[in-house]
Amino acid sequence: LNNSRLLLALLVCSTWARDLGAYITGLFFKTNHPIAKLINPQKTYEGAIVGGFFAFTTIAFFNSHFDVITYNQ
């Protein structure tokens, strides 16, 4: 694993970006579509979708700038 440090940074940054995206969605869009109302009513479908988009964008940025994910053929 030549890119182990970059992969760890990618994991940490994409997790942080997903949480940030979900948090921002909760701040600006006061929606009420909870995923699991009994477990945690603050987790919504909208936050999950936007958070996933933030994580995907972070992974794409890392891969385009640092070539973290490589495919051996």
Side-chain angles (χ1 to χ4, degrees), residues 6-22 49-69:
L6 284 175
L7 285 172
L8 180 62
L10 174 65
L11 177 68
V12 170
C13 288
S14 63
T15 302
W16 178 77
R18 182 175 176 89
D19 289 343
L20 181 67
I49 291 168
V50 174
F53 176 74
F54 272 52
F56 176 79
T57 305
T58 303
I59 292 169
F61 173 79
F62 259 78
N63 197 35
S64 67
H65 283 72
F66 301 112
D67 199 25
V68 177
I69 303 170

Side-chain angles (χ1 to χ4, degrees), residues 30-37 40-48:
K30 300 292 183 185
T31 59
N32 193 13
H33 300 106
I35 294 174
K37 190 180 269 187
N40 189 351
Q42 295 177 343
K43 305 294 183 192
T44 62
Y45 287 108
E46 293 84 0

